[in-house]
Amino acid sequence: MQNKNIYQNIDQLPLVLRVDDLMPILKIGRNAAYALVRSGQIKALRIGNSYRIPRSELIRFLGESA
C-alpha cells in the first residue's frame, strides 16, 4: 500500500500540518515529533487538543537544522 503522505517537494506540503504529518517528513517517531513541538523548536498553534504547524515553520526548522 502506498503512503499518501510522501511529498516530492516542499511545495506539495499542505500550508498547515499536523504532528502526524511531521513524522514521515522528518523520519521520526510520534514522541520525538511531539517533543519538538512542545519544546518550541518547531512553533505550532494549539487548537483544542491538537497542534497545527504552519509549513513556513517547518521550512524554518529545516533551514536551522541544516
Side-chain angles (χ1 to χ4, degrees):
M1 183 153 121
Q2 190 175 15
N3 187 349
K4 294 180 184 179
N5 289 331
I6 296 179
Y7 304 101
Q8 298 300 319
N9 61 49
I10 202 92
D11 295 325
Q12 291 180 339
L13 290 172
L15 290 175
V16 179
L17 301 120
R18 297 170 299 149
V19 173
D20 287 344
D21 296 326
L22 292 179
M23 295 165 32
I25 294 167
L26 299 176
K27 297 187 183 343
I28 59 175
R30 181 179 310 276
N31 289 341
Y34 274 103
L36 287 171
V37 170
R38 288 186 185 126
S39 70
Q41 293 179 56
I42 295 179
K43 293 179 178 63
L45 301 170
R46 180 135 190 195
I47 300 174
N49 291 331
S50 62
Y51 291 99
R52 297 293 185 256
I53 301 108
R55 177 174 60 186
S56 59
E57 181 57 26
L58 175 61
I59 293 168
R60 181 205 57 81
F61 173 76
L62 291 172
E64 288 181 359
S65 298

